Amino acid sequence: MLLANGLLSVFDADIAMNVSPMSFLLILLSSILCGLVISGAYVFHKRNDVLQGGMAIVMVIVPAAAGIVIMLVGRNIAAALGLSGIFVLVRFRSAAVESKDLGYLFVSICSGVLNGCGYVAYAIIFTGILVLLISVLEFAGWGQTSGKPMLLKIWVPESLDFQGVFEPVLRQHTEEYTLLMVRTTDFGSNCELRYRLIPKKDMKQKQLLDDIRTRNGNMNVVLIIAPQIVERNSKQVL
């Protein structure tokens, strides 16, 4: 009986016109708890990557903020518009955020909306199941390649016919590579080639750079490893 009551909304009316202090406190604490669980999973799974500390804090704050706003404004249309509006705002105002990070953030927003509608038990169950699903997919390496993507920038003199020059080196050191762009620099005196590549497990970065420098006249070579920078640069080019 207690479980059945816990799965029902703590609000009797469709619009939360009269919110008791106990309901307010229950929604707030439940939202914070869901946010802590989601943020903890995010920090754990990103421990070996470039961790954005601000995102971890935001994932704790967003469910509480969304839950309280939905609780005080009302459910139904307000909840749907609030959820979509918040997500769209975050999506298009955060160009440097990885898609995976946005997934965590979207889960935290959903948990906050569920709490704000009064479905505290459902919000906790939803958060637990989604965090468990994320953990299973992360440990299984679902959709992940053997290596993390990198961004390679190569400068060559304008006089060099670079077509096909670097492909043998890239095939030797990478699982796959894609030429993203070619552009002139320094008023046309040099050219910049930009590749997105997946390195082999045993790839030595120093050896890759040395092999490229023997072919581009010892000009600058930049290898960017940070995943959010690689993703942002790839999207800007494409």
Side-chain angles (χ1 to χ4, degrees):
M1 185 67 180
L2 181 61
L3 178 60
N5 292 333
L7 295 177
L8 298 177
S9 173
V10 298
F11 303 136
D12 295 329
D14 287 336
I15 303 300
M17 298 179 61
N18 299 311
V19 180
S20 67
M22 286 301 298
S23 297
F24 179 90
L25 185 61
L26 176 62
I27 297 300
L28 181 61
L29 293 178
S30 176
S31 300
I32 293 175
L33 175 63
C34 292
L36 287 172
V37 172
I38 297 169
S39 180
Y42 171 78
V43 173
F44 177 77
H45 293 300
K46 297 276 289 186
R47 64 190 183 280
N48 296 324
D49 297 334
V50 180
L51 179 64
Q52 300 187 29
M55 283 291 295
I57 296 175
V58 167
M59 289 175 193
V60 179
I61 298 174
V62 165
I68 294 303
V69 169
I70 295 298
M71 176 181 63
L72 296 178
V73 172
R75 296 187 286 165
N76 300 330
I77 298 178
L81 293 179
L83 175 59
S84 59
I86 292 172
F87 181 70
V88 169
L89 178 64
V90 172
R91 173 65 184 89
F92 291 102
R93 296 287 293 180
S94 305
V97 179
E98 288 187 86
S99 300
K100 186 186 298 186
D101 295 352
L102 288 175
Y104 283 97
L105 189 57
F106 187 62
V107 172
S108 67
I109 294 173
C110 291
S111 67
V113 172
L114 283 174
N115 277 301
C117 291
Y119 298 104
V120 175
Y122 280 127
I124 295 175
I125 294 173
F126 166 81
T127 301
I129 292 176
L130 263 293
V131 168
L132 179 61
L133 176 62
I134 290 172
S135 299
V136 171
L137 295 177
E138 288 279 5
F139 284 120
W142 186 271
Q144 298 179 7
T145 56
S146 57
K148 297 179 181 179
M150 298 182 181
L151 191 68
L152 178 65
K153 298 181 180 181
I154 305 173
W155 279 264
V156 298
E158 187 271 338
S159 59
L160 176 66
D161 184 6
F162 53 79
Q163 190 165 0
V165 172
F166 303 105
E167 277 67 13
V169 175
L170 295 176
R171 283 195 295 267
Q172 177 184 352
H173 294 279
T174 67
E175 295 286 350
E176 60 181 83
Y177 60 90
T178 304
L179 179 62
L180 298 178
M181 64 171 286
V182 178
R183 69 173 182 176
T184 58
T185 60
D186 299 329
F187 301 100
S189 60
N190 297 317
C191 292
E192 177 191 346
L193 285 69
R194 192 172 299 185
Y195 291 89
R196 186 181 187 274
L197 54 88
I198 303 296
K200 292 183 178 179
K201 292 183 179 180
D202 58 347
M203 187 194 81
K204 292 180 172 52
Q205 298 173 9
K206 176 69 165 54
Q207 187 63 46
L208 172 64
L209 299 181
D210 288 343
D211 291 345
I212 292 175
R213 289 171 58 197
T214 61
R215 294 171 178 257
N216 75 333
N218 203 29
M219 296 187 66
N220 289 341
V221 181
V222 176
L223 183 63
I224 299 177
I225 303 173
Q228 70 272 20
I229 298 179
V230 174
E231 185 171 349
R232 183 172 69 248
N233 276 266
S234 299
K235 289 180 178 179
Q236 289 175 349
V237 170
L238 298 176

